[in-house]
Amino acid sequence: MSMLQRLDAADALPGAAELRARTYELLRLEPGSAVIDVGCGAGLAVAEMSALGFRAVGVDLSAEMVDEARRRSPDRDFLIGDAYALPVDGGFAGYRADKVFHELAEPDAALAEARRVLAPGGRIVLSGPDWEALVIDSSYPALTREIVRARASTITAPRIARGFRRLLTGNGFREVSVEGVVGFLGGESFLRGLVDVAVRVGAVSLAEGEIWLADQVGDVAVPQFLASGVV
């Protein structure tokens, strides 16, 4: 499955639309306000925020994603850019980054850039999963722990979402608030992906992985955190 297919699948999960809508609410923007969506992927959030009356700009490091976003929403603004060096001037009323910061090795640098592009009084909203806190019902708890740890080990900052409050306050944002929700992931491809990673990094054997897979009957609960603040 390609990255684009994974993103589309994630956007279609139960509760995903409601979670995106909550990030828009937390921005507390007036109609006509400018907002930047960092790590915009194929541009779904930009399209949705534009439909709400905001002047949304999407930025993504992947040229492939930006091309796809422009194809899907040709009347919207999408730019290739890095979270550490956004290709825009300042003056934005809102900054949104969903499922982005766990991939950043230098989150403080990204937040310094967020502060640069936000106008005084502008709002930031971060959202993302805690990859070390996956909750999985299994008859093999020890194997489950190893599989979850293995998946988290492949992510740059798997625990960053639980630390959004510390991260934002430590970088000068005011009025910081954090809330949590639980999303659910499942399906054969997702579970197989967890096992494939665990086998690849040597956390479990192929035989152990198959035993674990055969026991799975439910979805994986994924704690997700949403944080907002004011510059």
Side-chain angles (χ1 to χ4, degrees), residues 85-159:
L86 295 169
V88 294
D89 297 325
F92 284 86
Y95 172 110
R96 176 184 182 274
D98 175 39
K99 298 187 290 291
V100 171
F101 270 65
H102 64 257
E103 297 292 356
L104 299 182
E106 300 178 58
D108 293 334
L111 288 180
E113 185 67 351
R115 291 178 63 87
R116 180 187 72 80
V117 303
L118 281 169
R123 293 185 63 82
I124 186 171
V125 173
L126 305 180
S127 61
D130 188 320
W131 285 104
E132 277 198 356
L134 304 187
V135 181
I136 303 173
D137 179 30
S138 173
S139 302
Y140 303 96
L143 271 179
T144 301
R145 284 192 293 272
E146 293 304 318
I147 288 169
V148 171
R149 288 170 183 162
R151 180 66 181 91
S153 73
T154 67
I155 297 170
T156 302
R159 298 178 301 278

Side-chain angles (χ1 to χ4, degrees), residues 10 28 68-69 75 98 102 112 119 139 142 158 178 229:
R28 299 181 190 172
E68 180 63 17
D75 56 341
D98 175 39
H102 64 257
S139 302
V178 180

Side-chain angles (χ1 to χ4, degrees), residues 196-216:
D196 287 347
V197 169
V199 172
R200 187 173 71 246
V201 303
V204 302
S205 69
L206 181 59
E208 288 173 325
E210 294 300 327
I211 290 170
W212 185 83
L213 278 174
D215 178 64
Q216 289 304 300

Side-chain angles (χ1 to χ4, degrees), residues 26 42-43 48 55 64 92 117 125-127 145 150 154 160 173-174 177 180 187 191 201-202 215 217 226:
L26 290 171
E48 290 179 339
R55 292 187 292 116
E64 177 186 2
F92 284 86
V117 303
V125 173
L126 305 180
S127 61
R145 284 192 293 272
T154 67
I160 198 164
F173 288 90
R174 302 176 289 108
S177 66
L191 295 169
V201 303
D215 178 64
V217 295
L226 295 84

